[in-house]
Amino acid sequence: MLFSQLPEDVLYHVVSFLDHKSLCRLSQVCKSMHRFVNRDAVWRKIAKEFLNTGITRDGTDIYPHIPLKERVRTAQNWFNGVCKRASPLKWKTKLLPWLQLDGDILFLSQAANIGAYHLHQGTKRLLRNPFQIYSGHQGDVCRFAVTDSNLISGGSDGKILVHSRRNHVSLELSGHNQEVNCIDSKDGLIISGSRDRTVRIWTLTSSSPRDTIPMYDRVWSVAISPTLSSFATGTACCESFSPLLIWNVERSACVCSLGSEFRRGAGVLDIIFESPFQLFSCGYDTFIRLWDLRLSPRSCVMEWEEPHDSTLYCIQTDGNHMIASGSSYYGVVRLWDKRQTKCLQFFQLSSDPVSSPVYCLRFSSSHLYAALATALHSLDFKQSPVYIR
């Protein structure tokens, strides 16, 4: 019996012991093996060990429409830092832009407006003219969140606007009396944080907040847990208590504070829940920290230090092994492998003599987009691919 004539369950067991290079050599043996090896089921185990292949720690596939073999190829470029750089958008006035990525649509705030830009389905190249502009704030947009049906923005005018993505209807939520520094939304729940030292809990059924929580410090970041039962807040750390707190949504009560050693002024600028029990934080103290809410809240599980002692403005993870961070000097973006303590790759996006932070970054399976003070930058990791041999 030929190898290719073995039962499929036996073939799957055999190829499970091969690495990515051996699999590609096997696919060159004959047409039947080529068809078999190109199946996603063959590559799933290998893809989970690579960076940003879309296979999360719990096994969820974020990009099921892209063949896994292709994603493993692109993952090698992420690991090796092989990419093509571009600046698809530039503007003259210095801004504090924010980004959100939803499939083939990139949302970018510029001053008081938020533009929705199509990404070319194949190349992911940004089309320069927005197909939709969301407006209504009397000041700059500070942060915004995107859901399937709405875009929720917080502005320096203290207002929160809920824009429908299906029509041109907007709902105004008024409650904060200073700029809304941060906002998050999931399944009709909205959490906002402001310079006015309050956090407010909203629902889409009312224009008034469901609850207001006094924070006694400026709120820089908020994040809602995937279970919707809790949320995290990050403050400026100007007072004598932890800047990172976990709250119960229903009771509006503090569940716990994270960390025991913190420097005054070392505020938390970004928070991401990777699971109901694990979250990442970063900020002025130059560290990315991973917290596990099932363990002692006094210390983090792991931490990664920005090597140039720069403030970390933003982070994003792939749900598995990779972290991307944006720092405060010269537009530096770093890629981290959680299995290592040192930075894996870094990219200095800004060539201007005047330094600009990376205010926000977002990435897909093949591209990373970063917003600086005067330009939107993109890194295309699908270009110049490292072919599997």
Side-chain angles (χ1 to χ4, degrees):
M1 179 181 286
L2 298 175
F3 179 74
S4 59
Q5 295 174 330
L6 290 171
E8 284 197 352
D9 57 339
V10 177
L11 280 175
Y12 279 123
H13 182 70
V14 172
V15 299
S16 68
F17 294 97
L18 302 181
D19 62 13
H20 63 285
K21 293 182 180 179
S22 300
L23 277 178
C24 284
R25 294 190 184 107
L26 180 60
S27 71
Q28 298 171 2
V29 171
C30 62
K31 290 183 178 179
S32 62
M33 289 311 301
H34 179 78
R35 287 193 295 269
F36 177 79
V37 169
N38 277 0
R39 295 179 183 178
D40 277 1
V42 173
W43 289 91
R44 193 172 183 86
K45 180 181 177 182
I46 290 174
K48 196 169 183 179
E49 297 304 312
F50 277 77
L51 299 181
N52 196 29
T53 56
I55 305 298
T56 63
R57 192 179 310 171
D58 63 6
T60 303
D61 192 345
I62 303 175
Y63 313 113
H65 58 288
I66 305 175
L68 270 176
K69 182 179 178 181
E70 180 182 332
R71 284 183 263 167
V72 170
R73 283 175 173 167
T74 306
Q76 294 176 87
N77 288 340
W78 285 93
F79 183 84
N80 295 310
V82 178
C83 64
K84 181 180 179 181
R85 305 188 187 198
S87 300
L89 290 176
K90 295 183 179 180
W91 47 89
K92 295 181 179 180
T93 306
K94 287 187 178 181
L95 304 173
L96 278 72
W98 192 253
L99 288 175
Q100 293 292 355
L101 190 61
D102 183 24
D104 289 332
I105 301 176
L106 180 75
F107 297 89
L108 170 66
S109 67
Q110 295 173 280
N113 296 326
I114 301 169
Y117 298 82
H118 278 304
L119 301 173
H120 189 276
Q121 191 170 6
T123 63
K124 300 299 180 184
R125 180 176 58 85
L126 183 79
L127 303 184
R128 292 182 178 272
N129 295 320
F131 69 89
Q132 178 74 46
I133 296 178
Y134 300 91
S135 59
H137 285 285
Q138 295 176 350
D140 288 356
V141 173
C142 299
R143 296 283 178 96
F144 64 91
V146 175
T147 66
D148 291 339
S149 56
N150 296 302
L151 184 151
I152 302 99
S153 60
S156 60
D157 54 5
K159 295 179 181 178
I160 297 170
L161 296 180
V162 181
H163 308 271
S164 173
R165 293 179 61 182
R166 298 189 176 98
N167 51 53
H168 297 288
V169 177
S170 297
L171 171 67
E172 182 180 313
L173 309 179
S174 299
H176 292 291
N177 53 39
Q178 294 188 49
E179 57 257 44
V180 180
N181 292 320
C182 49
I183 198 160
D184 195 14
S185 179
K186 286 184 176 66
D187 291 345
L189 175 68
I190 302 172
I191 308 292
S192 63
S194 171
R195 191 181 182 90
D196 66 7
R197 303 188 174 199
T198 66
V199 164
R200 297 180 190 264
I201 303 174
W202 314 76
T203 61
L204 294 176
T205 58
S206 174
S207 60
S208 301
R210 195 199 77 185
D211 211 340
T212 299
I213 303 173
M215 297 294 296
Y216 309 105
D217 203 353
R218 290 170 292 173
V219 185
W220 289 136
S221 53
V222 295
I224 301 173
S225 167
T227 63
L228 305 180
S229 61
S230 62
F231 65 92
T233 59
T235 59
C237 199
C238 294
E239 304 297 332
S240 56
F241 51 80
S242 172
L244 188 56
L245 304 174
I246 307 297
W247 301 83
N248 180 277
V249 170
E250 290 300 322
R251 296 184 287 111
S252 303
C254 182
V255 176
C256 66
S257 60
L258 301 182
S260 57
E261 297 181 5
F262 46 89
R263 301 196 312 268
R264 185 166 292 234
V268 176
L269 295 179
D270 203 6
I271 311 169
I272 294 178
F273 272 97
E274 196 170 74
S275 77
F277 307 105
Q278 293 183 314
L279 68 150
F280 290 83
S281 65
C282 70
Y284 284 109
D285 65 354
T286 76
F287 280 91
I288 302 170
R289 289 190 171 89
L290 168 60
W291 306 87
D292 194 320
L293 302 182
R294 297 166 296 185
L295 305 176
S296 170
R298 296 182 61 82
S299 59
C300 62
V301 177
M302 292 185 68
E303 62 183 19
W304 298 265
E305 184 178 10
E306 158 62 44
H308 291 161
D309 198 32
S310 301
T311 296
L312 293 172
Y313 272 68
C314 53
I315 50 175
Q316 188 185 353
T317 78
D318 66 349
N320 195 13
H321 298 305
M322 192 180 84
I323 308 171
S325 66
S327 62
S328 59
Y329 294 125
Y330 301 106
V332 171
V333 168
R334 295 186 186 273
L335 303 183
W336 309 79
D337 188 330
K338 298 175 189 174
R339 297 163 292 189
Q340 304 176 18
T341 56
K342 293 185 178 180
C343 169
L344 182 65
Q345 299 290 343
F346 81 95
F347 309 90
Q348 184 175 327
L349 302 182
S350 175
S351 58
D352 297 335
V354 179
S355 175
S356 169
V358 178
Y359 289 110
C360 186
L361 60 79
R362 294 289 181 263
F363 60 78
S364 63
S365 64
S366 58
H367 286 67
L368 184 146
Y369 303 93
L372 276 66
T374 57
L376 173 71
H377 296 261
S378 69
L379 302 178
D380 181 358
F381 291 89
K382 205 171 182 178
Q383 299 292 325
S384 306
V386 176
Y387 291 103
I388 302 173
R389 300 187 183 280

